[in-house]
Amino acid sequence: NIGKSQAQLFDKNNSTMTFKDVAGLDEAKVEIMEVVDFLKTPKKYTDLGGKIPKGVLLVGPPGTGKTLLAKAVAGEAKVPFFSLSGSDFVEMFVGAGASRAIGRASGKRISTGGNDERENTLNQLLTEMDGFAGNNGVIILAATNRADILDRALLRAGRFDRQIHVELPDLKGREEIFEVHIKGLKMDKTVNINFLAKQTPGFSGADIANVCNEAALICARKDKKIIDKQDFLDAIDRIIGGLEKRTKLITPEEKKSIAYHEAGHAVIGLK
């Protein structure tokens, strides 16, 4: 299979993902709507002599929904979407089990003949992007959580010249994401989504999905039939701090230190 594309096709007829399925990314959705318009009505731009952008780079922390947003673009524009990871891309050209990402800037090291897999793949990607005509309706959407280490040749005009930042969700965004992931959960009616959103600052969309699933597992472990507020709080604690340590011995000095620490939380909470 050397040289064979590992891309997964999401056809326009079976790609049902739209922006309605993407919660908490309002600003990024506004920016990327322009890309959808390029794909839906390219003639509107090319008739004026303009060129459709070739590459859009989605930048943001892990788990914020970059790939989800890319799939939603394809669903909204009703165009075929080919999904491919960086390591698949390298293997397609090289045939080796290269699991590291493509696009990283060249390091300051002595070359051993310039036969580095990653650099060869990067060069191939740049060549392919230059090969696209400005009006053939192909747009590459790429996602990374480390835009700072990408090669500058990738970010120049005519390649990934547009960057859309997909940030961690704010309070309103977290509420919307919770609403998406609690569908199908047998929950106590007293569970307050706003309260849960306030308990999860700094959580990504993937973290919130994990909280909802973990709450269900904790509830089942307790042989209960309905997921309540405490199950969600236990799930949040588990994701932040890991499993509860029931057998760890704590010295008197550690207990005193922990007491001061927790008293600090209590004071801040009161104020």
Side-chain angles (χ1 to χ4, degrees):
N1 286 333
I2 293 174
K4 183 178 178 183
S5 171
Q6 303 297 316
Q8 183 181 357
L9 171 64
F10 294 86
D11 191 76
K12 57 187 171 185
N13 297 319
N14 60 24
S15 180
T16 55
M17 179 83 66
T18 65
F19 287 148
K20 288 179 184 175
D21 303 302
V22 184
L25 296 176
D26 292 343
E27 289 178 15
K29 280 195 276 191
V30 169
E31 284 193 67
I32 211 160
M33 276 302 293
E34 192 176 30
V35 178
V36 173
D37 200 38
F38 286 145
L39 290 166
K40 274 185 171 176
T41 55
K43 203 168 183 295
K44 182 167 84 175
Y45 301 90
T46 55
D47 281 355
L48 295 169
K51 291 180 181 175
I52 295 171
K54 292 181 187 174
V56 177
L57 188 63
L58 301 171
V59 182
T64 47
K66 297 183 291 295
T67 307
L68 198 68
L69 199 56
K71 286 181 183 176
V73 168
E76 288 280 344
K78 296 282 188 284
V79 294
F81 174 72
F82 291 90
S83 175
L84 191 65
S85 75
S87 54
D88 288 339
F89 200 103
V90 175
E91 287 173 21
M92 186 174 80
F93 286 112
V94 188
S99 59
R100 54 183 182 248
I102 60 166
R104 186 167 181 154
S106 306
K108 292 179 181 177
R109 62 185 185 279
I110 298 169
S111 175
T112 55
N115 198 26
D116 182 78
E117 288 180 356
R118 190 165 35 78
E119 289 183 16
N120 285 348
T121 307
L122 171 60
N123 290 336
Q124 182 66 30
L125 174 62
L126 299 177
T127 304
E128 293 291 342
M129 288 187 78
D130 278 339
F132 292 142
N135 59 355
N136 65 0
V138 175
I139 295 180
I140 298 182
L141 283 170
T144 182
N145 49 26
R146 289 298 306 275
D148 56 311
I149 62 169
L150 292 183
D151 197 296
R152 280 180 297 178
L154 269 174
L155 304 178
R156 74 151 172 81
R159 288 177 184 151
F160 291 108
D161 48 2
R162 285 171 179 249
Q163 289 192 27
I164 295 175
H165 290 268
V166 185
E167 304 295 348
L168 290 168
D170 57 12
L171 179 64
K172 179 175 172 288
R174 292 196 299 277
E175 279 191 57
E176 291 173 4
I177 294 167
F178 265 112
E179 291 285 0
V180 168
H181 292 294
I182 61 170
K183 287 174 185 172
L185 294 183
K186 291 184 178 177
M187 270 175 33
D188 191 304
K189 290 179 181 177
T190 60
V191 175
N192 187 313
I193 299 300
N194 177 263
F195 170 79
L196 294 177
K198 286 177 178 174
Q199 299 301 310
T200 49
F203 276 44
S204 68
D207 291 332
I208 291 170
N210 201 5
V211 165
C212 294
N213 187 58
E214 196 63 45
L217 298 180
I218 289 168
C219 179
R221 208 174 295 132
K222 293 176 183 173
D223 294 321
K224 297 192 303 183
K225 300 296 182 187
I226 300 288
I227 306 164
D228 59 24
K229 174 181 166 183
Q230 191 56 49
D231 295 323
F232 278 100
L233 290 175
D234 290 346
I236 291 166
D237 284 345
R238 178 162 185 183
I239 286 163
I240 292 172
L243 278 169
E244 182 183 355
K245 295 176 178 67
R246 296 178 181 272
T247 57
K248 191 180 179 213
L249 295 172
I250 303 174
T251 65
E253 291 79 11
E254 284 178 315
K255 282 183 180 176
K256 189 174 182 181
S257 178
I258 292 167
Y260 278 125
H261 180 97
E262 296 304 329
H265 283 304
V267 171
I268 297 299
L270 282 168
K271 293 294 180 183

